[in-house]
Amino acid sequence: MDGEESAPESAPEKVRHYHPGICVYCGKNPTESCQLKRCTQCQLVLYCSRQCQKKDWQTHKPLCQTHALQDGKNIFTSARERIHDRKGWHDFQNMLRMRASVKLGRSLEPFENEIFLFARVCEICGEAEPTKITDCSKCHSVFYCSEAHREKDAKRHAEWCYSYSLCMCCDLLEYRSGMNSIPFPIVVDAEYKPLPATIKEKLESMLGFLSTSHLFEKNMLITLMSERLTYPLSLLYVLQNISVGSCKQEISQVSELTVHIVGAESTKEMLGIIRWEYLVHTLPALKKLHAVFIGPEVGMMRCEDCQKKGRIIVYEMCKMLYHDYVSTSYYTKPDAIVAFNCGFHEFEGEKKDTWPKSLPKMAENRDTPVIFTSYNSTEARKDLEVLCQASEVEVLLPSQLNPYRSLRPYRDPAREENADIFFTNQYITCVRGMK
């Protein structure tokens, strides 16, 4: 089966993104022979040609007409005089998004939201006058009104420049080709091979099994594959370092594994659901995998090798909260519980916070590890604090940078922890109940 790809899955909706330094319609970068021109009516987007502007007009028209220049000034011009810090800018941008939604009488599309979140303004002072703004020539994602401000930000931006470029390439590729265009190798291990130190090392070892006719550069392919495999690999990373079940087995010896994926979303954990079959491929002793996706936003197939070997893979979807699921007749005791990018703390104290009832149920069994990931170290700390308040737990794996986090960068408009970019499953923690 080496080199073969998994069966096609239903294609998710393609999502268009906005990047302020490239043609909003075709994604072309500016060059010496092709200088991008702004929309003169709103100054919010750029085009590489009159043809692209015409093709995009029906899409851009509603936002353009509701955000036309006033006295020759765009919607960001006045902000520089009254906003002097990053939080102020973020609050101002969110206010603009809400106003735009009210003016249009509908929710904004993702790329429309990003027009406000990633504005074409000076990184240092917020200057928004188009004639004064130039971009970073490498990533076309960060802007300056002067060479002095460019130099002032040079060291900080150098840390994120490549990630901005990679994010842009991923966004454009997935919009043009679709999420399912990424090759996925079926490599069935005859014996258990412990995971290497990082997800990059693991994926590089898998690339040799892919067809050489793929259209992606190596780094791009590794990046996009990491976004698909970070979920099962993050789980496996923890399980290979702790014993599993009441029998305290090593994960390499487990023949049946039941995993509860709590707070699951169809667009994240369940996207490319066959990727969870990778656990069976890398654990030769595993004969049955039962993956239960539990969450209010939850909306199979096996490869030929698994079918021949009689391996059983059960995918179960439960559109409900976890504390409701444990009371059902079809509840099955898990060997592990995992919550990806959990946000246990996000709505703490608010009426819409549903975690307080679920967390005690998740951490009530000493034989069942609870694994959760967070976007950054601050969130990981807060998530653990909330869990500890809800139930008495023992920490098996303190919050740490996850070596099996996704390598696919996403822009963070809030710049939490002073980071321009974040990654899925960036921090990982594991606990178990004390009962």
Side-chain angles (χ1 to χ4, degrees), residues 15 53 61 66 77 124 131 181 211 227 230 235 261 268 271 281 288 290 297 310 347-348 359 367 397 428:
V15 178
Q53 187 174 23
K61 179 180 177 181
T66 55
T77 303
I124 300 300
T131 58
S181 63
S211 169
E227 183 76 350
T230 179
L235 172 63
I261 299 94
K268 294 180 181 179
L271 176 61
H281 293 170
K288 180 179 180 179
H290 185 189
E297 298 184 37
F347 300 112
E348 187 179 10
L359 292 177
D367 295 330
L397 181 71
I428 194 164

Side-chain angles (χ1 to χ4, degrees), residues 5-70:
E5 297 177 10
S6 57
E9 304 170 55
S10 57
E13 181 181 357
K14 295 180 180 179
V15 178
R16 180 182 179 185
H17 291 280
Y18 166 79
H19 290 268
I22 62 177
C23 176
V24 71
Y25 182 75
C26 73
K28 188 173 183 178
N29 288 327
T31 62
E32 290 186 6
S33 60
C34 179
Q35 295 298 312
L36 305 185
K37 297 182 179 180
R38 65 185 182 274
C39 172
T40 56
Q41 184 165 312
C42 67
Q43 296 182 349
L44 295 180
V45 298
L46 300 176
Y47 294 100
C48 67
S49 65
R50 184 67 176 169
Q51 290 74 22
C52 279
Q53 187 174 23
K54 287 182 177 180
K55 292 177 181 178
D56 192 49
W57 176 239
Q58 288 305 311
T59 299
H60 178 55
K61 179 180 177 181
L63 202 64
C64 183
Q65 293 183 336
T66 55
H67 293 77
L69 301 182
Q70 298 292 327

Side-chain angles (χ1 to χ4, degrees), residues 189-195 236-237 239-241 250-253 279 281-285:
D189 294 331
E191 59 182 32
Y192 178 65
K193 301 175 183 177
L195 293 174
L236 184 58
Y237 165 70
L239 293 183
Q240 78 169 10
N241 289 294
E250 298 293 326
I251 187 60
S252 60
Q253 303 301 316
L279 289 174
H281 293 170
T282 198
L283 296 170

Side-chain angles (χ1 to χ4, degrees), residues 164-219:
Y164 270 117
S165 297
L166 190 57
C167 175
M168 184 188 300
C169 291
C170 290
D171 283 347
L172 290 172
L173 181 59
E174 289 176 341
Y175 178 62
R176 292 166 177 166
S177 305
M179 301 285 280
N180 287 332
S181 63
I182 311 305
F184 183 79
I186 294 180
V187 183
V188 182
D189 294 331
E191 59 182 32
Y192 178 65
K193 301 175 183 177
L195 293 174
T198 67
I199 193 171
K200 184 176 182 180
E201 291 178 51
K202 179 62 179 176
L203 296 181
E204 285 179 335
S205 70
M206 296 170 67
L207 284 179
F209 298 103
L210 288 171
S211 169
T212 56
S213 63
H214 65 74
L215 302 177
F216 312 112
E217 294 182 0
K218 180 180 178 181
N219 286 344

Side-chain angles (χ1 to χ4, degrees), residues 239 242-243 335-337 365 367-371 396 430-432:
L239 293 183
I242 63 173
S243 56
D335 297 299
I337 297 174
N365 194 316
D367 295 330
T368 305
V370 178
I371 303 160
L396 301 179
C430 179
V431 304
R432 67 180 175 187

